[in-house]
Amino acid sequence: MRQLTSLDAQFLAMENARVQGHVSVLGVYESHTATGLPLDADLVRDVIGSRLHLLPTFRWRLAEVPFALDYPYWVDDGTFDIEYHVRELALPSPGDAGQLAEQVARIIGRQLDRARPLWEVYVIHGLADGGVAVLTKMHHAAVDGVSGAEVMSILLDETTDGTTGRARGPAPEVLAESFPSEVEMLGRGLVGLLRQPFRVLRAGPTALPHLDDVPTIRHLPGVKAVARSSRLVKRAFRGGAGGATWRGSDISAPRTRFQARVSPHRRVAFGSLSLDEVKDVKNTFGCTVNDVVLAICTAGLRSWLGDQSELPDEPLASFIPMSVRTPEQRGTFGNRVSVMLTALPTDEADPVVRLSRINDAMRDAKERHRALPASLLQDANHFIPPALFAQAARATSRLAGLRGLNQPANVMISNVPGPSAPLYLGGARQRAQFPVSGVLDGIGINITVMSYLDSLEFGIVVDRELVDDPWPILDALRAGLDELRDAAHAANSTVPQSRKATK
């Protein structure tokens, strides 16, 4: 058995009747393989079944500790019902993108069954262009953005015959672990209860001085005072030495419609933007691809909120997940992630100035991020006993959108690097791969980006009660890239081509 970390367990604790803790990927494929086989649920089951020995997250089943005395455990369940996990459905005619997005929104609005391994795959037929969509849904307690991409790299191939990097022949047998009894789990929980004070003592020196950089609690009353006092104590123990000590970020999130408690229901929009155009902008203005992605999102949110007459005078604030997974931790799955907070200059009308401000803000944010412990989110959770995890999450949810209380951020934006070569599922070519994430109380919009081939694939998820139609937001993002592309063309027509791009 493998015990969840406090960060893994947080994604379980955050779930309630309105908030889901899973993440998804929507792939769009050719309807048939290179050998003429139809892409259907049977084919997907065959692919997964042949690679189950490489997919521990698809075998893990959750074992709760009685009375939540300690964090749960993963049990390797080698005998599960694959027909339950891989499902098949069809869209009604005409099967356009809006209908696919509506179906995806309904699927991601349902929680995964904790009595089974925490994943599902939906094979969706009836697309207007003749393709087949495959939605892969995995719980965030088992995977983060990077480890989720690792799962997809196991399911997908770089060749049509499905042998890339894998030995031919039958898959080795997976030995199932026996599921523990309540008595055994109670014993583990009691041992964990004894370890809890040591977890707190070990986490204190690294976590307390940086509590005001923990995204989920930095806005709560008293947190900044605790962090400030801890920094003073730490400096005193060092005799004033030890170099500069970062204080918490002063970035605050102005109120928008997204700073509210979410409903159980979602809306989704997805689309592709040109990666070549993004790179042209990056090379012209000497910034990074991620800076351009953030500038596109900033322009889109500025335009859309302006159209609703809801644009704040202050810049918006965004959470940006960052992987802290080391090369040695590759293939271990679970969560190795931190979160940066940065301002989005939605108060700036000039697209080039906006991009420059984002470049400066991200440079500062990365410098701050490097000064923080990689395990900060995990260490901070140790101050909450496992038995109180769910209650703490519910208390935080009740504060979401509360007037008079600062909110942590306006939006979550994530950019995940993807493959530049075409991929295949059981021999069927993948046309596009859209990330589909989730929203939280107080942050009712998520924009996730993944590169594939020569495109940036955008997935927008919003709360259904907060936004009637997310597709105009996607249109505003496209317009944001258009104005940056036009600015780059204008700059290239007047500036000598001697500017060096930064990677």
Side-chain angles (χ1 to χ4, degrees), residues 6 9-19 114 216-217 219-220 261 381 384-400 440-442:
S6 65
Q10 183 179 3
F11 289 105
L12 295 171
M14 63 177 269
E15 285 192 311
N16 55 45
R18 298 170 293 99
V19 176
R114 294 195 182 185
T216 53
I217 63 172
H219 63 295
L220 299 179
R261 296 182 73 187
N381 284 337
I384 305 173
L388 299 179
F389 237 37
Q391 292 90 326
R394 284 194 292 269
T396 303
S397 292
R398 283 195 293 269
L399 295 175
L440 304 170
D441 282 323

PDB file of all heavy atoms in Angstrom, residues 6 9-19 114 216-217 219-220 261 381 384-400 440-442:
ATOM      1  N   SER A   6      -0.137  14.672   2.263  1.00  0.00           N
ATOM      2  CA  SER A   6      -1.145  15.644   2.696  1.00  0.00           C
ATOM      3  C   SER A   6      -1.680  16.440   1.511  1.00  0.00           C
ATOM      4  O   SER A   6      -2.852  16.832   1.485  1.00  0.00           O
ATOM      5  CB  SER A   6      -0.551  16.589   3.744  1.00  0.00           C
ATOM      6  OG  SER A   6       0.488  17.383   3.188  1.00  0.00           O
ATOM      7  N   ALA A   9      -4.125  14.216  -0.345  1.00  0.00           N
ATOM      8  CA  ALA A   9      -5.363  14.117   0.438  1.00  0.00           C
ATOM      9  C   ALA A   9      -6.179  15.400   0.382  1.00  0.00           C
ATOM     10  O   ALA A   9      -7.405  15.370   0.518  1.00  0.00           O
ATOM     11  CB  ALA A   9      -5.033  13.772   1.890  1.00  0.00           C
ATOM     12  N   GLN A  10      -5.511  16.532   0.161  1.00  0.00           N
ATOM     13  CA  GLN A  10      -6.238  17.795   0.076  1.00  0.00           C
ATOM     14  C   GLN A  10      -7.216  17.795  -1.093  1.00  0.00           C
ATOM     15  O   GLN A  10      -8.304  18.376  -1.003  1.00  0.00           O
ATOM     16  CB  GLN A  10      -5.250  18.952  -0.061  1.00  0.00           C
ATOM     17  CG  GLN A  10      -5.934  20.319  -0.086  1.00  0.00           C
ATOM     18  CD  GLN A  10      -4.927  21.453  -0.188  1.00  0.00           C
ATOM     19  OE1 GLN A  10      -3.726  21.227  -0.287  1.00  0.00           O
ATOM     20  NE2 GLN A  10      -5.414  22.676  -0.164  1.00  0.00           N
ATOM     21  N   PHE A  11      -6.846  17.130  -2.195  1.00  0.00           N
ATOM     22  CA  PHE A  11      -7.733  17.093  -3.355  1.00  0.00           C
ATOM     23  C   PHE A  11      -8.949  16.201  -3.106  1.00  0.00           C
ATOM     24  O   PHE A  11      -9.957  16.325  -3.803  1.00  0.00           O
ATOM     25  CB  PHE A  11      -6.963  16.636  -4.589  1.00  0.00           C
ATOM     26  CG  PHE A  11      -5.995  17.665  -5.094  1.00  0.00           C
ATOM     27  CD1 PHE A  11      -4.634  17.524  -4.890  1.00  0.00           C
ATOM     28  CD2 PHE A  11      -6.440  18.789  -5.765  1.00  0.00           C
ATOM     29  CE1 PHE A  11      -3.733  18.477  -5.333  1.00  0.00           C
ATOM     30  CE2 PHE A  11      -5.560  19.752  -6.225  1.00  0.00           C
ATOM     31  CZ  PHE A  11      -4.197  19.599  -6.006  1.00  0.00           C
ATOM     32  N   LEU A  12      -8.860  15.307  -2.136  1.00  0.00           N
ATOM     33  CA  LEU A  12     -10.037  14.562  -1.706  1.00  0.00           C
ATOM     34  C   LEU A  12     -10.885  15.405  -0.763  1.00  0.00           C
ATOM     35  O   LEU A  12     -12.115  15.430  -0.862  1.00  0.00           O
ATOM     36  CB  LEU A  12      -9.624  13.256  -1.014  1.00  0.00           C
ATOM     37  CG  LEU A  12      -8.914  12.215  -1.870  1.00  0.00           C
ATOM     38  CD1 LEU A  12      -8.383  11.097  -0.983  1.00  0.00           C
ATOM     39  CD2 LEU A  12      -9.861  11.645  -2.914  1.00  0.00           C
ATOM     40  N   ALA A  13     -10.201  16.092   0.162  1.00  0.00           N
ATOM     41  CA  ALA A  13     -10.922  16.872   1.159  1.00  0.00           C
ATOM     42  C   ALA A  13     -11.680  18.043   0.553  1.00  0.00           C
ATOM     43  O   ALA A  13     -12.709  18.472   1.098  1.00  0.00           O
ATOM     44  CB  ALA A  13      -9.939  17.378   2.226  1.00  0.00           C
ATOM     45  N   MET A  14     -11.190  18.582  -0.562  1.00  0.00           N
ATOM     46  CA  MET A  14     -11.828  19.745  -1.159  1.00  0.00           C
ATOM     47  C   MET A  14     -13.157  19.399  -1.834  1.00  0.00           C
ATOM     48  O   MET A  14     -13.966  20.278  -2.100  1.00  0.00           O
ATOM     49  CB  MET A  14     -10.909  20.383  -2.195  1.00  0.00           C
ATOM     50  CG  MET A  14     -10.588  19.483  -3.357  1.00  0.00           C
ATOM     51  SD  MET A  14      -9.572  20.267  -4.620  1.00  0.00           S
ATOM     52  CE  MET A  14     -10.871  20.928  -5.655  1.00  0.00           C
ATOM     53  N   GLU A  15     -13.388  18.101  -2.103  1.00  0.00           N
ATOM     54  CA  GLU A  15     -14.615  17.713  -2.793  1.00  0.00           C
ATOM     55  C   GLU A  15     -15.822  17.851  -1.875  1.00  0.00           C
ATOM     56  O   GLU A  15     -15.773  17.542  -0.688  1.00  0.00           O
ATOM     57  CB  GLU A  15     -14.520  16.266  -3.282  1.00  0.00           C
ATOM     58  CG  GLU A  15     -13.650  16.096  -4.494  1.00  0.00           C
ATOM     59  CD  GLU A  15     -13.796  14.719  -5.117  1.00  0.00           C
ATOM     60  OE1 GLU A  15     -13.729  13.723  -4.383  1.00  0.00           O
ATOM     61  OE2 GLU A  15     -13.973  14.649  -6.345  1.00  0.00           O
ATOM     62  N   ASN A  16     -16.889  18.328  -2.446  1.00  0.00           N
ATOM     63  CA  ASN A  16     -18.174  18.378  -1.757  1.00  0.00           C
ATOM     64  C   ASN A  16     -19.267  18.232  -2.808  1.00  0.00           C
ATOM     65  O   ASN A  16     -18.989  17.845  -3.942  1.00  0.00           O
ATOM     66  CB  ASN A  16     -18.317  19.674  -0.932  1.00  0.00           C
ATOM     67  CG  ASN A  16     -18.113  20.932  -1.767  1.00  0.00           C
ATOM     68  OD1 ASN A  16     -18.641  21.047  -2.882  1.00  0.00           O
ATOM     69  ND2 ASN A  16     -17.343  21.884  -1.243  1.00  0.00           N
ATOM     70  N   ALA A  17     -20.484  18.541  -2.458  1.00  0.00           N
ATOM     71  CA  ALA A  17     -21.588  18.369  -3.406  1.00  0.00           C
ATOM     72  C   ALA A  17     -21.487  19.301  -4.604  1.00  0.00           C
ATOM     73  O   ALA A  17     -22.173  19.089  -5.609  1.00  0.00           O
ATOM     74  CB  ALA A  17     -22.924  18.597  -2.688  1.00  0.00           C
ATOM     75  N   ARG A  18     -20.620  20.306  -4.544  1.00  0.00           N
ATOM     76  CA  ARG A  18     -20.509  21.288  -5.628  1.00  0.00           C
ATOM     77  C   ARG A  18     -19.145  21.303  -6.311  1.00  0.00           C
ATOM     78  O   ARG A  18     -19.017  21.814  -7.419  1.00  0.00           O
ATOM     79  CB  ARG A  18     -20.798  22.695  -5.072  1.00  0.00           C
ATOM     80  CG  ARG A  18     -22.200  22.869  -4.505  1.00  0.00           C
ATOM     81  CD  ARG A  18     -22.352  24.192  -3.765  1.00  0.00           C
ATOM     82  NE  ARG A  18     -21.532  24.223  -2.550  1.00  0.00           N
ATOM     83  CZ  ARG A  18     -20.355  24.803  -2.436  1.00  0.00           C
ATOM     84  NH1 ARG A  18     -19.829  25.450  -3.465  1.00  0.00           N
ATOM     85  NH2 ARG A  18     -19.695  24.769  -1.301  1.00  0.00           N
ATOM     86  N   VAL A  19     -18.119  20.789  -5.648  1.00  0.00           N
ATOM     87  CA  VAL A  19     -16.740  20.869  -6.145  1.00  0.00           C
ATOM     88  C   VAL A  19     -16.227  19.461  -6.435  1.00  0.00           C
ATOM     89  O   VAL A  19     -16.347  18.570  -5.588  1.00  0.00           O
ATOM     90  CB  VAL A  19     -15.826  21.567  -5.125  1.00  0.00           C
ATOM     91  CG1 VAL A  19     -14.376  21.562  -5.615  1.00  0.00           C
ATOM     92  CG2 VAL A  19     -16.295  22.996  -4.878  1.00  0.00           C
ATOM     93  N   ARG A 114     -15.589   6.655  -5.249  1.00  0.00           N
ATOM     94  CA  ARG A 114     -14.424   6.354  -4.414  1.00  0.00           C
ATOM     95  C   ARG A 114     -14.328   4.881  -4.028  1.00  0.00           C
ATOM     96  O   ARG A 114     -13.317   4.467  -3.451  1.00  0.00           O
ATOM     97  CB  ARG A 114     -14.440   7.228  -3.153  1.00  0.00           C
ATOM     98  CG  ARG A 114     -14.254   8.700  -3.428  1.00  0.00           C
ATOM     99  CD  ARG A 114     -13.918   9.468  -2.177  1.00  0.00           C
ATOM    100  NE  ARG A 114     -13.795  10.894  -2.437  1.00  0.00           N
ATOM    101  CZ  ARG A 114     -13.410  11.783  -1.535  1.00  0.00           C
ATOM    102  NH1 ARG A 114     -13.138  11.377  -0.297  1.00  0.00           N
ATOM    103  NH2 ARG A 114     -13.321  13.057  -1.842  1.00  0.00           N
ATOM    104  N   THR A 216      -4.129  28.688  -0.873  1.00  0.00           N
ATOM    105  CA  THR A 216      -5.478  28.413  -0.371  1.00  0.00           C
ATOM    106  C   THR A 216      -5.799  29.122   0.933  1.00  0.00           C
ATOM    107  O   THR A 216      -6.972  29.203   1.311  1.00  0.00           O
ATOM    108  CB  THR A 216      -5.655  26.900  -0.176  1.00  0.00           C
ATOM    109  OG1 THR A 216      -4.580  26.402   0.645  1.00  0.00           O
ATOM    110  CG2 THR A 216      -5.629  26.178  -1.510  1.00  0.00           C
ATOM    111  N   ILE A 217      -4.762  29.647   1.627  1.00  0.00           N
ATOM    112  CA  ILE A 217      -5.039  30.259   2.929  1.00  0.00           C
ATOM    113  C   ILE A 217      -4.469  31.666   3.073  1.00  0.00           C
ATOM    114  O   ILE A 217      -4.731  32.328   4.079  1.00  0.00           O
ATOM    115  CB  ILE A 217      -4.494  29.385   4.077  1.00  0.00           C
ATOM    116  CG1 ILE A 217      -2.962  29.266   3.991  1.00  0.00           C
ATOM    117  CG2 ILE A 217      -5.140  28.005   4.067  1.00  0.00           C
ATOM    118  CD1 ILE A 217      -2.342  28.579   5.191  1.00  0.00           C
ATOM    119  N   HIS A 219      -5.216  34.443   2.021  1.00  0.00           N
ATOM    120  CA  HIS A 219      -6.164  35.541   2.128  1.00  0.00           C
ATOM    121  C   HIS A 219      -6.947  35.510   3.440  1.00  0.00           C
ATOM    122  O   HIS A 219      -7.710  36.443   3.722  1.00  0.00           O
ATOM    123  CB  HIS A 219      -7.157  35.469   0.969  1.00  0.00           C
ATOM    124  CG  HIS A 219      -7.986  34.227   0.972  1.00  0.00           C
ATOM    125  ND1 HIS A 219      -7.437  32.984   0.796  1.00  0.00           N
ATOM    126  CD2 HIS A 219      -9.330  34.034   1.125  1.00  0.00           C
ATOM    127  CE1 HIS A 219      -8.393  32.074   0.839  1.00  0.00           C
ATOM    128  NE2 HIS A 219      -9.535  32.683   1.042  1.00  0.00           N
ATOM    129  N   LEU A 220      -6.768  34.468   4.245  1.00  0.00           N
ATOM    130  CA  LEU A 220      -7.569  34.321   5.461  1.00  0.00           C
ATOM    131  C   LEU A 220      -7.055  35.243   6.567  1.00  0.00           C
ATOM    132  O   LEU A 220      -5.853  35.517   6.648  1.00  0.00           O
ATOM    133  CB  LEU A 220      -7.550  32.866   5.937  1.00  0.00           C
ATOM    134  CG  LEU A 220      -8.122  31.839   4.962  1.00  0.00           C
ATOM    135  CD1 LEU A 220      -8.028  30.439   5.553  1.00  0.00           C
ATOM    136  CD2 LEU A 220      -9.574  32.169   4.614  1.00  0.00           C
ATOM    137  N   ARG A 261     -19.198  31.238  -4.579  1.00  0.00           N
ATOM    138  CA  ARG A 261     -19.325  29.788  -4.420  1.00  0.00           C
ATOM    139  C   ARG A 261     -19.872  29.206  -5.718  1.00  0.00           C
ATOM    140  O   ARG A 261     -20.775  29.774  -6.341  1.00  0.00           O
ATOM    141  CB  ARG A 261     -20.251  29.448  -3.250  1.00  0.00           C
ATOM    142  CG  ARG A 261     -19.724  29.915  -1.904  1.00  0.00           C
ATOM    143  CD  ARG A 261     -20.671  29.513  -0.781  1.00  0.00           C
ATOM    144  NE  ARG A 261     -20.602  28.074  -0.532  1.00  0.00           N
ATOM    145  CZ  ARG A 261     -21.405  27.436   0.300  1.00  0.00           C
ATOM    146  NH1 ARG A 261     -22.376  28.100   0.929  1.00  0.00           N
ATOM    147  NH2 ARG A 261     -21.275  26.144   0.506  1.00  0.00           N
ATOM    148  N   ASN A 381      -0.060  21.845   4.980  1.00  0.00           N
ATOM    149  CA  ASN A 381      -1.209  20.994   5.314  1.00  0.00           C
ATOM    150  C   ASN A 381      -1.009  20.217   6.598  1.00  0.00           C
ATOM    151  O   ASN A 381      -1.986  19.783   7.226  1.00  0.00           O
ATOM    152  CB  ASN A 381      -1.478  20.012   4.167  1.00  0.00           C
ATOM    153  CG  ASN A 381      -2.165  20.670   2.988  1.00  0.00           C
ATOM    154  OD1 ASN A 381      -2.809  21.701   3.133  1.00  0.00           O
ATOM    155  ND2 ASN A 381      -2.012  20.086   1.813  1.00  0.00           N
ATOM    156  N   ILE A 384      -2.900  21.000   9.851  1.00  0.00           N
ATOM    157  CA  ILE A 384      -4.311  20.620  10.009  1.00  0.00           C
ATOM    158  C   ILE A 384      -4.361  19.115  10.224  1.00  0.00           C
ATOM    159  O   ILE A 384      -3.964  18.351   9.342  1.00  0.00           O
ATOM    160  CB  ILE A 384      -5.135  20.991   8.763  1.00  0.00           C
ATOM    161  CG1 ILE A 384      -4.981  22.468   8.430  1.00  0.00           C
ATOM    162  CG2 ILE A 384      -6.606  20.635   8.969  1.00  0.00           C
ATOM    163  CD1 ILE A 384      -5.631  22.881   7.132  1.00  0.00           C
ATOM    164  N   PRO A 385      -4.814  18.636  11.368  1.00  0.00           N
ATOM    165  CA  PRO A 385      -4.911  17.190  11.581  1.00  0.00           C
ATOM    166  C   PRO A 385      -5.775  16.552  10.502  1.00  0.00           C
ATOM    167  O   PRO A 385      -6.776  17.142  10.071  1.00  0.00           O
ATOM    168  CB  PRO A 385      -5.567  17.080  12.968  1.00  0.00           C
ATOM    169  CG  PRO A 385      -5.276  18.384  13.640  1.00  0.00           C
ATOM    170  CD  PRO A 385      -5.248  19.407  12.542  1.00  0.00           C
ATOM    171  N   PRO A 386      -5.415  15.356  10.033  1.00  0.00           N
ATOM    172  CA  PRO A 386      -6.204  14.708   8.976  1.00  0.00           C
ATOM    173  C   PRO A 386      -7.690  14.618   9.304  1.00  0.00           C
ATOM    174  O   PRO A 386      -8.525  14.733   8.405  1.00  0.00           O
ATOM    175  CB  PRO A 386      -5.562  13.322   8.870  1.00  0.00           C
ATOM    176  CG  PRO A 386      -4.143  13.524   9.308  1.00  0.00           C
ATOM    177  CD  PRO A 386      -4.216  14.574  10.381  1.00  0.00           C
ATOM    178  N   ALA A 387      -8.024  14.434  10.562  1.00  0.00           N
ATOM    179  CA  ALA A 387      -9.439  14.315  10.943  1.00  0.00           C
ATOM    180  C   ALA A 387     -10.207  15.606  10.697  1.00  0.00           C
ATOM    181  O   ALA A 387     -11.441  15.598  10.604  1.00  0.00           O
ATOM    182  CB  ALA A 387      -9.558  13.912  12.412  1.00  0.00           C
ATOM    183  N   LEU A 388      -9.481  16.731  10.589  1.00  0.00           N
ATOM    184  CA  LEU A 388     -10.146  18.028  10.401  1.00  0.00           C
ATOM    185  C   LEU A 388      -9.997  18.544   8.969  1.00  0.00           C
ATOM    186  O   LEU A 388     -10.432  19.660   8.675  1.00  0.00           O
ATOM    187  CB  LEU A 388      -9.568  19.061  11.376  1.00  0.00           C
ATOM    188  CG  LEU A 388      -9.731  18.742  12.868  1.00  0.00           C
ATOM    189  CD1 LEU A 388      -9.093  19.839  13.708  1.00  0.00           C
ATOM    190  CD2 LEU A 388     -11.203  18.579  13.233  1.00  0.00           C
ATOM    191  N   PHE A 389      -9.378  17.738   8.092  1.00  0.00           N
ATOM    192  CA  PHE A 389      -9.120  18.180   6.726  1.00  0.00           C
ATOM    193  C   PHE A 389     -10.401  18.596   6.008  1.00  0.00           C
ATOM    194  O   PHE A 389     -10.492  19.689   5.438  1.00  0.00           O
ATOM    195  CB  PHE A 389      -8.437  17.048   5.963  1.00  0.00           C
ATOM    196  CG  PHE A 389      -7.108  17.439   5.386  1.00  0.00           C
ATOM    197  CD1 PHE A 389      -6.249  18.290   6.063  1.00  0.00           C
ATOM    198  CD2 PHE A 389      -6.704  16.947   4.162  1.00  0.00           C
ATOM    199  CE1 PHE A 389      -5.035  18.648   5.532  1.00  0.00           C
ATOM    200  CE2 PHE A 389      -5.481  17.296   3.616  1.00  0.00           C
ATOM    201  CZ  PHE A 389      -4.648  18.146   4.306  1.00  0.00           C
ATOM    202  N   ALA A 390     -11.396  17.715   6.032  1.00  0.00           N
ATOM    203  CA  ALA A 390     -12.639  17.997   5.317  1.00  0.00           C
ATOM    204  C   ALA A 390     -13.355  19.194   5.914  1.00  0.00           C
ATOM    205  O   ALA A 390     -13.900  20.034   5.197  1.00  0.00           O
ATOM    206  CB  ALA A 390     -13.536  16.765   5.326  1.00  0.00           C
ATOM    207  N   GLN A 391     -13.367  19.280   7.258  1.00  0.00           N
ATOM    208  CA  GLN A 391     -14.033  20.416   7.906  1.00  0.00           C
ATOM    209  C   GLN A 391     -13.334  21.724   7.562  1.00  0.00           C
ATOM    210  O   GLN A 391     -13.985  22.751   7.341  1.00  0.00           O
ATOM    211  CB  GLN A 391     -14.047  20.220   9.433  1.00  0.00           C
ATOM    212  CG  GLN A 391     -14.936  19.079   9.893  1.00  0.00           C
ATOM    213  CD  GLN A 391     -14.192  17.758   9.970  1.00  0.00           C
ATOM    214  OE1 GLN A 391     -13.297  17.501   9.161  1.00  0.00           O
ATOM    215  NE2 GLN A 391     -14.557  16.941  10.940  1.00  0.00           N
ATOM    216  N   ALA A 392     -11.986  21.702   7.502  1.00  0.00           N
ATOM    217  CA  ALA A 392     -11.250  22.913   7.132  1.00  0.00           C
ATOM    218  C   ALA A 392     -11.566  23.322   5.698  1.00  0.00           C
ATOM    219  O   ALA A 392     -11.715  24.512   5.395  1.00  0.00           O
ATOM    220  CB  ALA A 392      -9.751  22.678   7.306  1.00  0.00           C
ATOM    221  N   ALA A 393     -11.668  22.325   4.801  1.00  0.00           N
ATOM    222  CA  ALA A 393     -11.998  22.637   3.412  1.00  0.00           C
ATOM    223  C   ALA A 393     -13.392  23.244   3.312  1.00  0.00           C
ATOM    224  O   ALA A 393     -13.617  24.191   2.549  1.00  0.00           O
ATOM    225  CB  ALA A 393     -11.905  21.371   2.565  1.00  0.00           C
ATOM    226  N   ARG A 394     -14.346  22.704   4.079  1.00  0.00           N
ATOM    227  CA  ARG A 394     -15.707  23.258   4.049  1.00  0.00           C
ATOM    228  C   ARG A 394     -15.735  24.670   4.613  1.00  0.00           C
ATOM    229  O   ARG A 394     -16.457  25.544   4.109  1.00  0.00           O
ATOM    230  CB  ARG A 394     -16.652  22.344   4.832  1.00  0.00           C
ATOM    231  CG  ARG A 394     -17.032  21.072   4.107  1.00  0.00           C
ATOM    232  CD  ARG A 394     -18.216  20.399   4.763  1.00  0.00           C
ATOM    233  NE  ARG A 394     -17.880  19.871   6.070  1.00  0.00           N
ATOM    234  CZ  ARG A 394     -17.440  18.625   6.280  1.00  0.00           C
ATOM    235  NH1 ARG A 394     -17.272  17.814   5.269  1.00  0.00           N
ATOM    236  NH2 ARG A 394     -17.172  18.220   7.503  1.00  0.00           N
ATOM    237  N   ALA A 395     -14.938  24.911   5.658  1.00  0.00           N
ATOM    238  CA  ALA A 395     -14.894  26.254   6.234  1.00  0.00           C
ATOM    239  C   ALA A 395     -14.329  27.257   5.231  1.00  0.00           C
ATOM    240  O   ALA A 395     -14.841  28.377   5.101  1.00  0.00           O
ATOM    241  CB  ALA A 395     -14.056  26.243   7.508  1.00  0.00           C
ATOM    242  N   THR A 396     -13.281  26.842   4.500  1.00  0.00           N
ATOM    243  CA  THR A 396     -12.704  27.714   3.481  1.00  0.00           C
ATOM    244  C   THR A 396     -13.710  27.989   2.371  1.00  0.00           C
ATOM    245  O   THR A 396     -13.817  29.115   1.867  1.00  0.00           O
ATOM    246  CB  THR A 396     -11.431  27.082   2.902  1.00  0.00           C
ATOM    247  OG1 THR A 396     -10.501  26.829   3.954  1.00  0.00           O
ATOM    248  CG2 THR A 396     -10.781  28.002   1.884  1.00  0.00           C
ATOM    249  N   SER A 397     -14.488  26.965   2.004  1.00  0.00           N
ATOM    250  CA  SER A 397     -15.505  27.144   0.964  1.00  0.00           C
ATOM    251  C   SER A 397     -16.556  28.146   1.386  1.00  0.00           C
ATOM    252  O   SER A 397     -17.049  28.943   0.581  1.00  0.00           O
ATOM    253  CB  SER A 397     -16.164  25.799   0.637  1.00  0.00           C
ATOM    254  OG  SER A 397     -15.254  24.934   0.012  1.00  0.00           O
ATOM    255  N   ARG A 398     -16.931  28.110   2.656  1.00  0.00           N
ATOM    256  CA  ARG A 398     -17.954  29.050   3.133  1.00  0.00           C
ATOM    257  C   ARG A 398     -17.472  30.495   3.053  1.00  0.00           C
ATOM    258  O   ARG A 398     -18.288  31.426   2.977  1.00  0.00           O
ATOM    259  CB  ARG A 398     -18.347  28.706   4.569  1.00  0.00           C
ATOM    260  CG  ARG A 398     -19.273  27.497   4.680  1.00  0.00           C
ATOM    261  CD  ARG A 398     -19.911  27.429   6.052  1.00  0.00           C
ATOM    262  NE  ARG A 398     -18.943  27.141   7.096  1.00  0.00           N
ATOM    263  CZ  ARG A 398     -18.626  25.915   7.506  1.00  0.00           C
ATOM    264  NH1 ARG A 398     -19.187  24.867   6.944  1.00  0.00           N
ATOM    265  NH2 ARG A 398     -17.737  25.737   8.465  1.00  0.00           N
ATOM    266  N   LEU A 399     -16.152  30.695   3.081  1.00  0.00           N
ATOM    267  CA  LEU A 399     -15.607  32.053   3.017  1.00  0.00           C
ATOM    268  C   LEU A 399     -15.483  32.561   1.587  1.00  0.00           C
ATOM    269  O   LEU A 399     -15.257  33.746   1.367  1.00  0.00           O
ATOM    270  CB  LEU A 399     -14.233  32.089   3.686  1.00  0.00           C
ATOM    271  CG  LEU A 399     -14.202  31.806   5.200  1.00  0.00           C
ATOM    272  CD1 LEU A 399     -12.763  31.763   5.690  1.00  0.00           C
ATOM    273  CD2 LEU A 399     -14.998  32.852   5.967  1.00  0.00           C
ATOM    274  N   ALA A 400     -15.612  31.657   0.615  1.00  0.00           N
ATOM    275  CA  ALA A 400     -15.450  32.048  -0.788  1.00  0.00           C
ATOM    276  C   ALA A 400     -16.528  33.052  -1.189  1.00  0.00           C
ATOM    277  O   ALA A 400     -17.719  32.821  -0.988  1.00  0.00           O
ATOM    278  CB  ALA A 400     -15.524  30.823  -1.688  1.00  0.00           C
ATOM    279  N   LEU A 440     -13.108  26.048  -8.511  1.00  0.00           N
ATOM    280  CA  LEU A 440     -13.186  25.961  -7.061  1.00  0.00           C
ATOM    281  C   LEU A 440     -14.094  27.054  -6.532  1.00  0.00           C
ATOM    282  O   LEU A 440     -14.367  28.048  -7.224  1.00  0.00           O
ATOM    283  CB  LEU A 440     -11.789  26.136  -6.438  1.00  0.00           C
ATOM    284  CG  LEU A 440     -10.679  25.191  -6.897  1.00  0.00           C
ATOM    285  CD1 LEU A 440      -9.345  25.693  -6.354  1.00  0.00           C
ATOM    286  CD2 LEU A 440     -10.968  23.784  -6.427  1.00  0.00           C
ATOM    287  N   ASP A 441     -14.538  26.891  -5.310  1.00  0.00           N
ATOM    288  CA  ASP A 441     -15.227  27.990  -4.649  1.00  0.00           C
ATOM    289  C   ASP A 441     -14.307  29.204  -4.615  1.00  0.00           C
ATOM    290  O   ASP A 441     -13.154  29.123  -4.189  1.00  0.00           O
ATOM    291  CB  ASP A 441     -15.610  27.603  -3.216  1.00  0.00           C
ATOM    292  CG  ASP A 441     -16.838  26.712  -3.163  1.00  0.00           C
ATOM    293  OD1 ASP A 441     -17.752  26.934  -3.969  1.00  0.00           O
ATOM    294  OD2 ASP A 441     -16.888  25.806  -2.319  1.00  0.00           O
ATOM    295  N   GLY A 442     -14.793  30.329  -5.074  1.00  0.00           N
ATOM    296  CA  GLY A 442     -14.007  31.552  -5.093  1.00  0.00           C
ATOM    297  C   GLY A 442     -13.201  31.757  -6.354  1.00  0.00           C
ATOM    298  O   GLY A 442     -12.687  32.853  -6.605  1.00  0.00           O
TER     299      GLY A 442
END
